[in-house]
Amino acid sequence: MFERILDHPNITVELGCDALKRLDVSGDKLKVDGEAFHGPVIYTGQADELFGFRFGPLPYRTLDFRFETLPQDDFQDYTRITEFKHLTGQKVPGKTTIVKEYSRAYTGAPGEIPYYAIINPDNNAKYSQYKALAEKFHNLHLLGRLAEYKYYNMDAIAGRALDLAGQLLK
């Protein structure tokens, strides 16, 4: 299914390039590689970063992950632990692999990944300014936790992506 989707002549996939170096949202027309671009652009990165932090950075939480392989069949005792065998069906008797997630403030340091928006009235107001900038470009669509500065469960964001795809096909 994915190969057929990606083989479509209207879909271009480029890996290993920095979208922020290619997208220009500084004027009244969205530009890609310096040229006006009229096709749809779905942006999933940080909205504040896309617009050069014009209104200041939005605060996020990041995660540190600690992997462990344990000499036991199962281990699951609290919410922020993932035990992979329950996701993958892995069967290694006498062993299980887990990852513990530790939340902390995102600082923007190299290697950090912003995972979760910090939702409160002040941050939502700041995000609204970035959203208003994005809405000036009819072909720019913000999608996902970072771009929409919103928490999504996986099922909800998959549904949101399908809804947007349906809108773009009309």
Side-chain angles (χ1 to χ4, degrees), residues 112-168:
E112 278 188 339
I113 297 171
Y115 285 100
Y116 302 107
I118 298 175
I119 306 297
N120 65 38
D122 289 341
N123 296 344
N124 288 345
K126 186 183 289 188
Y127 172 75
S128 293
Q129 293 177 290
Y130 288 114
K131 184 178 178 187
L133 288 177
E135 288 172 348
K136 292 179 180 179
F137 303 97
H138 73 281
N139 57 332
L140 177 61
H141 306 277
L142 301 179
L143 179 69
R145 284 183 178 186
L146 299 177
E148 295 180 76
Y149 203 70
K150 182 176 181 179
Y151 179 84
Y152 278 110
N153 286 326
M154 290 305 292
D155 60 332
I157 193 56
R160 170 89 174 91
L162 290 170
D163 288 345
L164 178 58
Q167 291 170 21
L168 295 176

Side-chain angles (χ1 to χ4, degrees), residues 4-145:
R4 286 182 51 218
I5 291 170
L6 297 176
D7 283 342
H8 192 281
N10 292 340
I11 295 176
T12 301
V13 176
E14 296 182 38
L15 304 174
C17 61
D18 184 347
L20 293 174
K21 291 181 180 173
R22 300 188 61 197
L23 288 175
D24 180 354
V25 291
S26 62
D28 60 347
K29 298 258 190 247
L30 182 109
K31 293 181 181 178
V32 176
D33 296 330
E35 301 292 326
F37 186 80
H38 303 288
V41 172
I42 300 170
Y43 184 77
T44 61
Q46 293 174 245
D48 53 350
E49 187 176 35
L50 175 63
F51 291 102
F53 303 101
R54 186 177 308 177
F55 306 114
L58 289 164
Y60 296 90
R61 302 287 300 163
T62 191
L63 297 172
D64 291 324
F65 297 97
R66 296 196 186 126
F67 288 83
E68 299 176 39
T69 298
L70 307 171
Q72 59 197 64
D73 287 324
D74 290 289
F75 182 95
Q76 192 73 23
D77 68 350
Y78 60 95
T79 305
R80 298 315 283 181
I81 288 181
T82 301
E83 187 174 11
F84 293 97
K85 71 189 314 172
H86 299 292
L87 302 172
T88 65
Q90 174 189 13
K91 295 188 186 324
V92 179
K95 288 190 179 179
T96 191
T97 300
I98 64 170
V99 65
K100 296 177 182 176
E101 299 178 19
Y102 297 91
S103 178
R104 63 180 172 80
Y106 172 76
T107 65
E112 278 188 339
I113 297 171
Y115 285 100
Y116 302 107
I118 298 175
I119 306 297
N120 65 38
D122 289 341
N123 296 344
N124 288 345
K126 186 183 289 188
Y127 172 75
S128 293
Q129 293 177 290
Y130 288 114
K131 184 178 178 187
L133 288 177
E135 288 172 348
K136 292 179 180 179
F137 303 97
H138 73 281
N139 57 332
L140 177 61
H141 306 277
L142 301 179
L143 179 69
R145 284 183 178 186

